[in-house]
Amino acid sequence: MGGQVTVKASGVMSMVSKVPWMLFIIGFLLVAEYFNLALEGTVGYTFITLAVIVLFIEMFKSGDVSPLSFLLDQFWAVITVILASGLLTYLWFVTGKEPTFFHWIGFAIILADALINPFNSFRTALRNLDVPN
């Protein structure tokens, strides 16, 4: 009767936790730039919706993680910040375009992911260890 209870992540949850979702934001911005799509109207609102959904998925992923998952999450957060900085630099200095409101929203969400998710992981670890505030 005193057996251990273990919880296994389902196949969907396991896949969700392994995908670097912030790359979809970078990918969307790169595709829009490559195909010269204006990020206004439906395309822009689709982008904002995608970006907010991705941020929530990343926040959910950052709770209860293993050390390897945390390291990989940090790796991808750094990579996406580098890619976003590169895209911003490219837009300004190579194409001469000024980033739009939608670009800034994407960059802000990428920075929020890189700053808030380690805090969320740390807070969850403290809670799991019953460390008082």
Side-chain angles (χ1 to χ4, degrees):
M1 293 264 181
Q4 239 180 335
V5 176
T6 58
V7 178
K8 285 192 165 194
S10 68
V12 173
M13 281 306 299
S14 178
M15 185 181 133
V16 165
S17 67
K18 291 179 182 170
V19 174
W21 291 96
M22 281 294 157
L23 290 178
F24 286 107
I25 295 174
I26 298 291
F28 194 105
L29 290 173
L30 288 174
V31 167
E33 182 60 30
Y34 182 77
F35 289 110
N36 205 17
L37 296 174
L39 289 176
E40 288 150 5
T42 305
V43 175
Y45 295 125
T46 302
F47 172 71
I48 289 175
T49 303
L50 172 75
V52 169
I53 289 170
V54 165
L55 181 63
F56 279 114
I57 290 171
E58 288 287 345
M59 286 289 291
F60 180 71
K61 257 179 44 173
S62 69
D64 293 334
V65 295
S66 68
L68 180 61
S69 298
F70 179 77
L71 181 64
L72 285 173
D73 194 35
Q74 288 307 293
F75 171 78
W76 286 115
V78 169
I79 293 297
T80 55
V81 168
I82 290 169
L83 290 173
S85 300
L87 179 59
L88 179 64
T89 303
Y90 173 77
L91 286 174
W92 247 328
F93 296 112
V94 175
T95 64
K97 294 180 185 176
E98 189 170 318
T100 66
F101 167 76
F102 298 100
H103 288 99
W104 290 115
I105 289 291
F107 298 146
I109 286 178
I110 288 167
L111 282 176
D113 170 62
L115 294 172
I116 294 172
N117 287 347
F119 171 75
N120 189 36
S121 294
F122 180 72
R123 182 186 57 80
T124 304
L126 289 178
R127 184 192 71 217
N128 289 345
L129 295 172
D130 288 331
V131 175
N133 290 337

